[in-house]
């Protein structure tokens, strides 16, 4: 978050923390605390986060993403409180004990920010500004995924709102409309498509269907279903995107 934005938020104090423990110098580079809220509210926030992330399945159901940067089992998600958007982070030990819960500010989402969605921008400007919007909306926070999403959304778009529509069109589709009478699509559907679709649904329910886990999942499908090449990637692409061609799934 920009320093000026952090200072303008009178409901939250941002900061980083350092301390010494057992001969180690520890650093928490992102964090802070809310101002003017009751202890009961703080406890309610942490308690809700704890129960929502008790299992991988519950975490996925409540839109928490696995935090791969922590030593313990950690999850993150975005939350809009008033006009400000925060990243909520929670970590627990392997036996389920809470180790930390904290929030960090991502930015402001107010009327002015929404009006700026319709400003006419060039493609380079869109690619530069889209990642911040996507983080605020909880789309992702990994640089590689944000860069890819910004490039896809900005292509041919004239504004941020237009780019978000492009990106939505890439990510969402009507399956019944996608599986039309095209003989190439029918060929894929008849060649074990249901097996791959079932595996993807199961992975989603386990909270393991994401851009970062896709390479591992693909390798597991290749081994378990004895598929490779076009017989693996064609049905995989059709199930995920509703298309037989498009962006490289391995990218």
């Amino acid at each position: 978050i920009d320093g000026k934005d952090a200072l303008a938020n009178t409901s939250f104090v941002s900061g980083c923390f350092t301390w010494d423990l057992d001969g180690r110098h520890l650093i928490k580079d992102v964090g802070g605390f809310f101002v003017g809220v009751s202890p009961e509210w703080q406890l309610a926030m942490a308690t809700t986060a704890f129960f929502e992330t008790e299992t991988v399945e519950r975490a996925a159901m409540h839109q928490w993403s696995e935090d791969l940067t922590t030593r313990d089992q950690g999850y993150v998600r975005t939350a809009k409180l008033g006009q400000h958007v925060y990243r909520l982070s929670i970590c627990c030990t392997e036996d389920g004990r809470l180790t930390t819960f904290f929030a960090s500010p991502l930015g402001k989402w107010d009327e002015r920010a929404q009006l700026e969605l319709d400003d006419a921008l060039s493609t380079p400007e869109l690619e530069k500004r889209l990642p911040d919007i996507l983080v605020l909306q909880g789309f992702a926070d990994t640089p590689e995924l944000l860069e890819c999403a910004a490039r896809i959304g900005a292509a041919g778009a004239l504004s941020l709102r237009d780019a978000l529509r492009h990106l939505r069109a890439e990510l969402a589709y009507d399956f019944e409309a996608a599986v039309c009478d095209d003989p190439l699509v029918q060929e894929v559907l008849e060649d074990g498509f249901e097996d791959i679709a079932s595996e993807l649904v199961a992975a989603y329910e386990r909270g393991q269907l994401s851009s970062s886990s896709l390479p591992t999942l693909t390798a597991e499908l290749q081994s378990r279903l004895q598929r490779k090449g076009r017989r693996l990637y064609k049905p995989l692409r059709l199930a995920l995107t509703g298309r037989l061609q498009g962006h490289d799934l391995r990218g």
Side-chain angles (χ1 to χ4, degrees), residues 151-169:
R151 186 170 62 251
I152 293 171
L158 301 176
S159 67
L160 287 169
R161 192 183 302 277
D162 199 15
L164 292 172
R165 289 196 189 103
H166 283 194
L167 189 57
R168 180 181 179 85

Side-chain angles (χ1 to χ4, degrees), residues 11-13 32-37 41-42 45 81 86 88 101 103:
S11 301
F12 192 87
V13 175
F33 53 89
F34 290 96
V35 177
V37 298
W41 184 87
Q42 295 269 30
M45 285 278 289
L81 304 174
Y86 302 88
L88 305 181
F101 170 77

Side-chain angles (χ1 to χ4, degrees), residues 39-83:
E40 291 83 1
W41 184 87
Q42 295 269 30
L43 286 170
M45 285 278 289
T47 301
T48 300
F50 177 80
F51 285 115
E52 285 185 347
T53 57
E54 273 192 304
T55 65
V56 173
E57 294 77 13
R58 286 180 63 85
M61 181 174 64
H62 292 287
Q63 300 180 332
W64 289 85
S65 300
E66 189 175 1
D67 187 355
L68 302 177
T69 65
T70 63
R71 292 184 304 169
D72 298 323
Q73 180 69 57
Y75 293 96
V76 295
R77 67 158 295 174
T78 57
K80 185 174 183 292
L81 304 174
Q83 294 184 337

Side-chain angles (χ1 to χ4, degrees), residues 54 71-73 91-97 99:
E54 273 192 304
R71 292 184 304 169
D72 298 323
Q73 180 69 57
C91 293
C92 295
T93 59
E94 291 184 357
D95 58 358
R97 290 178 296 147
T99 57

